[in-house]
Amino acid sequence: MTDGNGTTEHLPGRSRRRFPGISSRAYEHPADRSALVALRKLSGFDTVFKTLSGLLPERSLRLLFLSDSVRVDDAQFTHLYAMLRDACYILDLEKVPAMYVTQDPKPNAMCIGLDEPVIVVTTGLVELLDEEEMRAVIGHEVGHALSGHAVYRTILLFLTGLAVRVAWIPLGNVAIMALVTALREWFRKSELSADRAGLLVGQDLQASMRGLMKIAGGNHLHEMNVDAFLKQADEYESSGDLRDSVLKILNVLPRSHPFTTVRAAELRKWAASRDHQRIMEGHYDRREDDKDTSVYESFRQSASHYSETVRTSKDPLMGLLRDLGDGAGDLGGKLRDRFAGRGTGGGTGGAGGGADRKGGEGATGAAGS
């Protein structure tokens, strides 16, 4: 059935809407979109990165997956192949990316590659998720491919490895780690974009939520509750004092992904937004208009998003920034109160501390890279 803007096709399981010609700009997080638009506008950018391909381990990775993993196609993991083709059909991605299943008990997925994207999922992820949850994850990875994230993730993996090798050179390591830190910040936002793509493919918010919850707590759905899980995200954002705000920043810096409860809360918010509703109604940015996208407008939208985040956030640090923006008088007194947990509506809060056991670089925390 066609309405001139979007189409609804009968795919395995139930009917899902298709989005012909959709641009990745339609679902990208504002910070992710502004960075990508700027990079795409740089003359010769693609050529530079293609030149770098000889230095990067992309060929080695492709050979490794081909030789030591199972390729997903019409003869192997056929149910995953059907989901992959459906995801590409829904997002109108013309060429179906190569996909592999690799033996690893840790639930994980990623999309890498300079010339062509390659999707990799682990056996731990395949065994953890049900069909609809897995469909959202595969849609997440196809969203990465459509956005062109695979190129930048490959660069990030290379630079992270390079930073380890040159750690003995003080200034060299500092310069590379500064770039890695900036790339990680962008990449965390790109994960939020891909989560949205996963929802557009699966078109089942509860399945997306269950998948994220399982990644955090394992295959024990009878012991978990989506509403309670989302309350954790609210508590994480609003509880504690300024010390906890600083600890949150320090905890997230080494990660390539946002924390799982945060991802769930962000996806729930976007699913309820007018932007998501318009896409589902067939009104969205088209790929054919990508070349006319304004870098200035993209940065303006990104700045507006961050301004709105500061305005509405319950985090104590964001509250302090609001006070400063409103011309707060006693800066010293306010800082003292925030660190002491007074006047924030919360207690002193525990020191969240501790390294993230799932974080780090590696191949990213499941529901996709």
Side-chain angles (χ1 to χ4, degrees):
M1 180 175 65
T2 304
D3 61 8
N5 291 307
T7 62
T8 301
E9 300 290 343
H10 184 72
L11 299 175
R14 60 184 176 82
S15 294
R16 291 181 176 82
R17 179 168 289 279
R18 184 178 178 238
F19 309 102
I22 189 171
S23 168
S24 60
R25 292 181 292 113
Y27 59 79
E28 284 164 352
H29 184 280
D32 176 27
R33 186 191 311 130
S34 61
L36 289 174
V37 168
L39 287 172
R40 290 163 186 158
K41 291 287 183 179
L42 288 178
S43 178
F45 174 79
D46 288 340
T47 303
V48 171
F49 275 100
K50 299 298 183 186
T51 303
L52 281 174
S53 63
L55 301 175
L56 300 177
E58 182 183 16
R59 286 182 177 273
S60 174
L61 286 173
R62 288 179 183 274
L63 289 171
L64 181 62
F65 294 136
L66 191 61
S67 64
D68 206 33
S69 300
V70 178
R71 181 161 53 196
V72 174
D73 54 26
D74 54 7
Q76 302 182 111
F77 285 103
T78 55
H79 70 295
L80 295 182
Y81 190 54
M83 291 184 204
L84 175 63
R85 293 181 63 185
D86 288 345
C88 293
Y89 180 69
I90 290 171
L91 294 181
D92 200 15
L93 188 64
E94 185 174 349
K95 186 171 183 180
V96 178
M99 181 173 171
Y100 294 89
V101 174
T102 189
Q103 173 64 35
D104 187 341
K106 182 178 179 180
N108 235 328
M110 63 179 174
C111 181
I112 59 170
L114 288 176
D115 294 319
E116 294 181 0
V118 175
I119 295 172
V120 182
V121 297
T122 65
T123 51
L125 186 66
V126 174
E127 292 163 5
L128 177 66
L129 304 183
D130 67 24
E131 181 175 341
E132 292 305 307
E133 295 156 6
M134 194 68 198
R135 190 184 300 278
V137 169
I138 291 176
H140 175 115
E141 299 304 329
V142 170
H144 275 312
L146 182 57
S147 288
H149 291 155
V151 172
Y152 314 116
R153 169 151 185 84
T154 305
I155 297 295
L156 178 58
L157 288 172
F158 170 71
L159 289 175
T160 304
L162 181 61
V164 173
R165 290 194 292 272
V166 301
W168 59 277
I169 307 176
L171 292 181
N173 185 52
V174 168
I176 292 173
M177 286 311 299
L179 182 56
V180 167
T181 299
L183 278 171
R184 281 177 181 157
E185 168 58 20
W186 160 76
F187 202 83
R188 286 190 290 271
K189 297 302 185 291
S190 77
E191 287 303 311
L192 301 179
S193 298
D195 283 343
R196 296 173 179 183
L199 179 59
L200 291 178
V201 167
Q203 297 174 27
D204 184 342
L205 180 61
Q206 288 302 308
S208 293
M209 291 295 165
R210 291 198 311 270
L212 289 169
M213 195 165 59
K214 282 184 176 180
I215 290 161
N219 193 16
H220 302 281
L221 277 180
H222 62 289
E223 298 284 355
M224 296 185 285
N225 178 277
V226 171
D227 292 333
F229 185 65
L230 289 169
K231 284 181 182 178
Q232 291 181 223
D234 294 334
E235 182 179 345
Y236 172 77
E237 181 186 6
S238 60
S239 66
D241 53 33
L242 199 57
R243 292 169 295 183
D244 294 302
S245 297
V246 174
L247 287 170
K248 291 174 189 177
I249 295 172
L250 294 177
N251 284 343
V252 81
L253 279 178
R255 292 177 58 93
S256 61
H257 284 58
F259 292 114
T260 316
T261 57
V262 174
R263 290 173 65 183
E266 286 284 340
L267 187 59
R268 174 188 59 177
K269 185 188 305 180
W270 187 73
S273 71
R274 178 59 182 154
D275 287 342
H276 176 253
Q277 182 181 344
R278 282 179 57 81
I279 294 174
M280 296 306 296
E281 292 171 352
H283 306 293
Y284 48 80
D285 292 322
R286 306 280 169 153
R287 227 168 289 167
E288 61 192 27
D289 300 322
D290 284 350
K291 61 183 183 301
D292 300 321
T293 306
S294 165
V295 176
Y296 170 79
E297 178 63 20
S298 297
F299 275 108
R300 188 191 66 77
Q301 292 174 2
S302 180
S304 175
H305 167 79
Y306 278 113
S307 177
E308 178 68 11
T309 298
V310 172
R311 189 183 69 80
T312 60
S313 175
K314 301 173 185 176
D315 183 83
L317 180 58
M318 295 297 104
L320 178 61
L321 291 176
R322 282 197 301 271
D323 290 344
L324 295 177
D326 293 337
D330 182 12
L331 176 59
K334 284 192 172 291
L335 282 171
R336 185 169 57 253
D337 288 346
R338 297 283 181 174
F339 270 104
R342 295 193 295 269
T344 62
T348 55
D356 174 68
R357 63 185 177 83
K358 292 186 182 179
E361 245 354 277
T364 78
S369 78

